[in-house]
Amino acid sequence: MPNADLHSAKAGKNDEFYTQLVDIEREMGAYIAHDPDVFRGKTVLLPCDDPEWSNFTRYFLLNFTRLGLKRLISTAKTADKGKILSISRDDVTSDRLEDSVWQYMVGNGDFRSNEVTQLRDEADIVITNPPFSLFRDFLSWTTATDKQFSIIGNMNAITYKEVFPLIKNNQMWLGQSIHSGDREFRVPETYPLDAAGWRVDQDGNKYLRVKGVRWFTNIDHDRRHQTLPLMTMADNLRYSKHQSLKDAGCYYKYDRYDALEVPFTDAIPSDYAGVMGVPISFLDRYNPVQFEIVGCSYDYGRPAGWDADVKMAGTINGVYVYKRLLIRHTSMPNDKTGMSCPIV
């Protein structure tokens, strides 16, 4: 079987994938590298993180003083009474914050409860790996107020109607540290190891490698400001590392929408001024100064002129193309268009 993916976990309600400390360190480190004071004086809420063992809780406890936090709140849902750990700057008397004592909540600790929602309203930043089956609900809950956030989800969430408008309007983007491949998560003892890419460590903890993982955030980082290097249309057709593009010898347009199909992010031509359809993985390299997102090929994001009969994708010579983001350059030096190259 293929490696585990978040869609399968969501369908099976196997939501408890526990994030590795190293992945948290890398992503938080990217925010800090961009702004060393990003967490200073802030209240951080971890609303899906058991204070007894969560690596999110561990990271912020270990780095509480270094980051200059004002307060850290970690909560977890249980069948009865939820768990909460709340540490403020005035509570810090030693470096042994990992030994801090958690308490029981009044309710069960569900992030949607009034109790946790009040904590959200008190926080400045929300960070966690929410249950996969509740990603839409969690994002809506998080963005209901003007908070900074960083949460883990599947990159196919880009196509959700609750997600795409935020990305299109530059209210949310992908994080810096995960932009390809898969990531390893610890799973509960009862989780079936029936997929490839699993292991059990010396303590009996189970781990799975999960495909398509991304951080969704509105916290700035350096990668978001890096210009994507591009070749002209002619150079792509001649020098691209993608043999299928060279073999085609041309770029295609969609049958029923005036946009150029670009099957690979690194094949975006530097000299085409019109709308282009690109893979959703383009967002890993998206620079809002370099590109504008004008729409997508799914039902709720299609721009004016997109054929209403095409539900989820465009067609080229009658063949469906997988979900695409529709983008264009924000500026085109010397009004280049690339029209001297083959376009079918």
Side-chain angles (χ1 to χ4, degrees):
M1 293 182 65
N3 287 4
D5 61 77
L6 301 193
H7 178 76
S8 299
K10 174 184 172 182
K13 304 300 182 183
N14 295 318
D15 293 333
E16 299 299 328
F17 279 31
Y18 310 136
T19 312
Q20 297 262 52
L21 181 61
V22 63
D23 291 318
I24 299 168
E25 291 173 332
R26 287 170 179 165
E27 186 65 15
M28 300 306 114
Y31 306 148
I32 296 166
H34 183 79
D35 177 7
D37 294 323
V38 62
F39 294 111
R40 190 165 305 280
K42 302 293 180 61
T43 295
V44 173
L45 172 64
L46 316 173
C48 302
D49 299 279
D50 194 308
E52 287 192 272
W53 47 258
S54 166
N55 281 324
F56 283 95
T57 308
R58 182 183 177 194
Y59 171 82
F60 283 102
L61 283 176
L62 290 173
N63 294 282
F64 189 101
T65 302
R66 180 177 70 87
L67 298 177
L69 294 184
K70 175 183 178 182
R71 185 183 178 195
L72 174 66
I73 310 167
S74 175
T75 67
K77 180 181 176 180
T78 68
D80 186 15
K81 291 184 178 295
K83 299 177 182 178
I84 182 170
L85 174 69
S86 179
I87 299 291
S88 69
R89 190 159 45 201
D90 295 336
D91 298 326
V92 177
T93 58
S94 72
D95 294 329
R96 297 292 298 174
L97 287 178
E98 64 269 32
D99 295 331
S100 300
V101 178
W102 58 271
Q103 298 176 329
Y104 284 110
M105 305 180 73
V106 175
N108 68 358
D110 190 296
F111 70 85
R112 295 161 294 189
S113 68
N114 290 335
E115 194 173 8
V116 180
T117 297
Q118 182 176 341
L119 294 173
R120 177 205 63 186
D121 295 344
E122 297 172 5
D124 300 295
I125 305 176
V126 176
I127 298 176
T128 194
N129 177 2
F132 303 144
S133 62
L134 296 175
F135 183 87
R136 297 171 191 253
D137 291 343
F138 187 86
L139 182 64
S140 297
W141 177 85
T142 302
T143 57
T145 58
D146 185 19
K147 306 292 179 185
Q148 289 187 294
F149 61 88
S150 183
I151 60 179
I152 293 178
N154 186 280
M155 75 176 305
N156 281 329
I158 293 165
T159 67
Y160 295 172
K161 64 182 179 181
E162 298 87 352
V163 174
F164 178 72
L166 297 175
I167 291 175
K168 180 178 182 293
N169 296 325
N170 284 312
Q171 296 171 291
M172 181 174 72
W173 43 86
L174 299 188
Q176 177 169 316
S177 65
I178 303 177
H179 47 83
S180 65
D182 52 22
R183 283 298 181 273
E184 188 176 70
F185 291 81
R186 187 168 66 84
V187 295
E189 294 180 4
T190 56
Y191 195 94
L193 296 179
D194 55 3
W198 61 268
R199 70 179 179 90
V200 180
D201 68 14
Q202 60 184 7
D203 297 319
N205 297 311
K206 294 181 178 181
Y207 295 86
L208 282 179
R209 299 203 69 85
V210 183
K211 300 180 298 181
V213 176
R214 293 295 189 275
W215 291 91
F216 292 80
T217 186
N218 61 359
I219 306 175
D220 214 352
H221 55 77
D222 289 345
R223 187 181 181 91
R224 188 166 171 262
H225 302 279
Q226 294 174 357
T227 299
L228 177 65
L230 301 171
M231 293 188 290
T232 64
M233 185 177 290
D235 283 346
N236 268 295
L237 294 175
R238 183 176 182 181
Y239 301 114
S240 173
K241 67 180 181 181
H242 303 288
Q243 191 62 42
S244 60
L245 185 61
K246 291 193 288 188
D247 289 345
C250 65
Y251 282 79
Y252 293 91
K253 281 195 171 184
Y254 300 108
D255 296 336
R256 291 179 282 181
Y257 184 68
D258 185 16
L260 194 74
E261 159 65 9
V262 182
F264 311 102
T265 296
D266 59 6
I268 295 173
S270 63
D271 56 347
Y272 185 77
V275 177
M276 299 171 282
V278 297
I280 60 175
S281 57
F282 158 81
L283 287 179
D284 289 326
R285 305 298 303 275
Y286 173 49
N287 178 338
V289 174
Q290 186 179 14
F291 297 101
E292 174 192 5
I293 298 175
V294 299
C296 60
S297 63
Y298 355 118
D299 288 347
Y300 47 84
R302 293 187 306 231
W306 188 274
D307 195 313
D309 292 333
V310 183
K311 293 186 179 300
M312 291 299 289
T315 59
I316 296 176
N317 296 326
V319 178
Y320 280 98
V321 178
Y322 191 65
K323 301 173 183 177
R324 290 293 190 249
L325 297 177
L326 301 172
I327 68 168
R328 63 183 166 211
H329 291 280
T330 55
S331 62
M332 187 60 60
N334 302 321
D335 196 30
K336 295 179 179 179
T337 65
M339 293 302 291
S340 61
C341 298
I343 298 176
V344 177

